[in-house]
Amino acid sequence: QKEVEQNSGPLSVPEGAIASLNCTYSDRGSQSFFWYRQYSGKSPELIMSIYSNGDKEDGRFTAQLNKASQYVSLLIRDSQPSDSATYLCAVTPSGGSNYKLTFGKGTLLTVNP
Amino acid sequence: DADVTQTPRNRITKTGKRIMLECSQTKGHDRMYWYRQDPGLGLRLIYYSFDVKDINKGEISDGYSVSRQAQAKFSLSLESAIPNQTALYFCATSDPTGGNTGELFFGEGSRLTVL
C-alpha cells in the first residue's frame, strides 16, 4: 500500500507569517504531486501541482519537490486568515496510473489575525 | 449551479437499508470517481469510471456498487448499509486531455449517517 504522510496539525501561524506544510510519500516512482485545499464543510480544490524537482511559485504559494528525499512541501507566504483550511497532499502512483491519486490525511492550518 | 452535483447532500438511514447516492456533472468529463472521507483517514477511492462501459474498483470497494448511467451520471449504492459506512462521500470528475491529470473537480459532498 503506497502511503502519503502529512503532519495532521493543527499548524497555527500568525497573520503575515509563512506557513510551511510538509508531505512525504513512499512510492519512489511517483511522478505527479498536488496540493488541495479543503475549507471546513466544503469539497477539496486544487491549488498547486508540481512534476519536477525544485520550486514552483504561484502567487503567495510555492510548492517544493525533492524526489530523491520523497518529499513535497507547500509554503504559503503572507498567510491570511482566509488560508485557514485543511491542506491535502496527493500523489499519483508509479506505473502510469495517473488517474488514481493517493491522498494524505491532511494538515489543518489555522492563521490567527 | 455547481458543475458536479451530488444528491442527497445529507442522509440518515438505518442499518440494512439500501442507499443510493447520485452524481451528475456538466463539465463534459469522461472520468468520474467516488471517494469517501473519514476524520483522520483522508480521502479514499471507492470506484472510478472512464466511460459508461468502463468501471473499476478502487481501494475500498467492498460493500459498495456503482452504475454509470450516462457520461454525465455516476451513482454509488450501498446495498445494505452498515454503521462503519458513515462518512462524507465525494463524487469527482477529471479530464485527462487537459494535461493536468491529477486535477479532480469535486462535488459538494454527501454526508451519510448509518444508525
Side-chain angles (χ1 to χ4, degrees):
Chain A
Q1 177 71 22
K2 306 301 183 183
E3 295 184 345
V4 177
E5 300 287 344
Q6 295 181 252
N7 187 328
S8 63
L11 174 65
S12 183
V13 301
E15 184 174 356
I18 296 175
S20 178
L21 305 164
N22 304 315
C23 173
T24 59
Y25 58 95
S26 63
D27 184 351
R28 183 169 291 279
S30 294
Q31 296 294 319
S32 305
F33 308 86
F34 307 90
W35 285 99
Y36 282 77
R37 177 177 62 200
Q38 185 175 21
Y39 292 113
S40 180
K42 302 296 184 181
S43 57
E45 59 178 335
L46 182 69
I47 55 171
M48 288 289 286
S49 59
I50 187 166
Y51 306 98
S52 303
N53 280 329
D55 295 359
K56 178 181 179 182
E57 186 174 320
D58 184 0
R60 295 186 296 110
F61 298 94
T62 299
Q64 299 176 317
L65 175 61
N66 184 327
K67 290 185 179 181
S69 299
Q70 296 176 236
Y71 177 92
V72 59
S73 65
L74 180 70
L75 301 178
I76 306 175
R77 292 183 300 281
D78 188 23
S79 294
Q80 300 298 308
S82 59
D83 295 324
S84 297
T86 296
Y87 289 80
L88 305 172
C89 175
V91 176
T92 58
S94 56
S97 302
N98 55 11
Y99 44 84
K100 291 173 65 176
L101 292 181
T102 299
F103 285 85
K105 297 176 183 179
T107 297
L108 176 62
L109 171 67
T110 300
V111 180
N112 301 304
Chain B
D1 290 341
D3 293 328
V4 184
T5 303
Q6 294 183 230
T7 56
R9 295 291 312 282
N10 288 283
R11 180 72 181 269
I12 299 174
T13 191
K14 295 182 178 180
T15 297
K17 294 293 187 179
R18 184 178 187 274
I19 295 296
M20 178 180 286
L21 305 180
E22 297 183 323
C23 177
S24 63
Q25 53 113 346
T26 58
K27 300 191 74 65
H29 292 169
D30 287 330
R31 294 183 175 180
M32 297 187 74
Y33 310 79
W34 276 103
Y35 284 87
R36 67 176 278 177
Q37 187 172 40
D38 299 271
L41 292 179
L43 281 161
R44 293 181 292 168
L45 182 63
I46 306 172
Y47 271 95
Y48 61 100
S49 171
F50 287 174
D51 63 37
V52 175
K53 297 181 180 179
D54 185 3
I55 293 177
N56 304 278
K57 293 182 177 180
E59 59 181 298
I60 54 163
S61 60
D62 288 348
Y64 301 95
S65 63
V66 291
S67 174
R68 184 83 183 264
Q69 300 96 327
Q71 188 216 29
K73 296 184 181 295
F74 192 35
S75 301
L76 177 71
S77 294
L78 290 68
E79 296 301 325
S80 179
I82 56 176
N84 76 0
Q85 292 177 312
T86 294
L88 180 59
Y89 290 85
F90 285 105
C91 175
T93 72
S94 71
D95 176 15
T97 63
N100 193 354
T101 54
E103 182 168 16
L104 297 173
F105 298 87
F106 287 88
E108 296 169 304
S110 296
R111 186 167 296 280
L112 176 65
T113 302
V114 183
L115 301 176

